Amino acid sequence: MIWQIIGIFLALLVVNLLLWIFAMPRYVNRRILRFQNEQVNRHYDEVENMYRKMRGWRHDYHNHIQTLKAYMSLTQYEEATRYLEQLEKDLTAVDTVLRTGNVMVDAILNSKLSLIQEKDIKVDATAVVPRDIPISDIDLSVLIGNLMDNAMEACAKVPVEERFIRVYIDVIKKQLYISVTNSTYGMAKRRGERFISDKQGSHGFGLLRIDDIVAKHGGYLNRQAEEGIFATEVMLPIVK
């Protein structure tokens, strides 16, 4: 009887072990793929919204000109000046913030920078990226998108006057160098040597996707934290 119980226990243990070995990786991969698709779709919507605003402003261009002509013909120069100042603010809100030289990086960075401005976060961004690099558009989108999303979410937890994000992207010694530094509340959470997200569900895959993409391209990843500041550095080879 005892041996039968032991045999059943061992059989269940083997079944559970096999399920863990063969089923768990597929489950994790499906979750990661779903997360990646959600990221790409959200980035597409953000970019489309930005360009929709630009098209709307251009559509109203002639109306703005007619309004200014009317103010000038009535010698209402102060009103014309105020109108121009308001147009300048509107144009700043819809115009692309950065032109890096790479269409995908332009799209994802500008969509995120537009959101950053709406959240009252001070931003300093500089980016230069070659047009043709051996990194897929999806990988670029997910990598940069997650870095920017993490920075924005961290800034949202601190007072408005303390919010900042610094972005620097350039080619250094045949490597695509990406640096994102942001304000944060307190110290970032760790588990051992790894930083962890305090978000639940699929959102926690953001850090994992960054790690995976850097490893996929044989790159370098460095995360540093101190009180109130979090910084991420990524270097990806772009010359085979």
Side-chain angles (χ1 to χ4, degrees):
M1 183 68 178
I2 294 177
W3 290 109
Q4 289 179 337
I5 295 175
I6 293 175
I8 293 173
F9 174 76
L10 290 175
L12 291 174
L13 183 62
V14 170
V15 170
N16 286 328
L17 182 61
L18 290 173
L19 286 173
W20 178 266
I21 292 174
F22 294 104
M24 186 55 67
R26 288 198 295 269
Y27 170 75
V28 172
N29 287 336
R30 286 198 300 270
R31 291 288 300 277
I32 291 175
L33 181 60
R34 184 174 66 183
F35 170 78
Q36 177 174 296
N37 290 336
E38 290 173 354
Q39 288 276 300
V40 172
N41 289 335
R42 187 169 81 246
H43 296 167
Y44 174 83
D45 292 340
E46 291 169 357
V47 173
E48 178 60 27
N49 180 64
M50 181 184 67
Y51 285 124
R52 190 182 302 116
K53 290 180 180 179
M54 292 176 64
R55 289 193 296 267
W57 201 94
R58 289 170 179 168
H59 179 266
D60 293 335
Y61 174 79
H62 293 292
N63 292 332
H64 296 316
I65 294 298
Q66 293 301 319
T67 300
L68 286 170
K69 284 183 176 179
Y71 279 134
M72 298 301 289
S73 65
L74 296 172
T75 66
Q76 296 177 349
Y77 303 123
E78 292 184 2
E79 288 79 358
T81 299
R82 284 195 294 268
Y83 194 83
L84 281 171
E85 290 173 349
Q86 185 60 49
L87 285 180
E88 184 178 19
K89 292 180 181 178
D90 291 344
L91 182 58
T92 300
V94 299
D95 194 17
T96 53
V97 181
L98 287 178
R99 292 178 177 84
T100 69
N102 182 288
V103 174
M104 172 51 67
V105 177
D106 284 354
I108 188 63
L109 266 183
N110 285 310
S111 68
K112 294 302 181 183
L113 291 174
S114 177
L115 292 177
I116 287 172
Q117 291 176 340
E118 293 178 2
K119 296 178 183 295
D120 293 323
I121 301 173
K122 295 179 182 178
V123 61
D124 180 10
T126 302
V128 178
V129 183
R131 182 184 301 273
D132 298 315
I133 56 177
I135 304 171
S136 72
D137 286 349
I138 289 180
D139 284 352
L140 278 174
S141 176
V142 173
L143 176 62
I144 296 176
N146 275 295
L147 288 171
M148 301 297 284
D149 284 344
N150 291 343
M152 280 189 284
E153 287 157 6
C155 286
K157 300 175 183 178
V158 302
V160 173
E161 62 273 11
E162 298 178 11
R163 297 176 183 175
F164 74 86
I165 296 176
R166 292 193 293 268
V167 181
Y168 181 77
I169 305 177
D170 203 350
V171 175
I172 301 177
K173 295 182 179 180
K174 301 180 180 179
Q175 305 267 334
L176 180 63
Y177 176 76
I178 303 172
S179 173
V180 179
T181 305
N182 58 270
S183 56
T184 186
Y185 180 77
M187 285 289 294
K189 294 182 179 180
R190 285 178 179 266
R191 181 176 295 158
E193 296 298 318
R194 297 177 63 87
F195 289 98
I196 60 174
S197 171
D198 57 1
K199 297 176 291 183
Q200 301 296 321
S202 62
H203 296 290
F205 282 113
L207 293 174
L208 179 61
R209 289 301 293 135
I210 293 172
D211 295 349
D212 288 345
I213 291 172
V214 173
K216 172 183 175 181
H217 293 277
Y220 166 81
L221 173 64
N222 179 41
R223 295 185 177 103
Q224 297 290 332
E226 58 184 68
E227 187 71 23
I229 299 177
F230 189 82
T232 304
E233 288 182 307
V234 173
M235 295 191 75
L236 302 177
I238 58 173
V239 177
K240 296 182 179 180

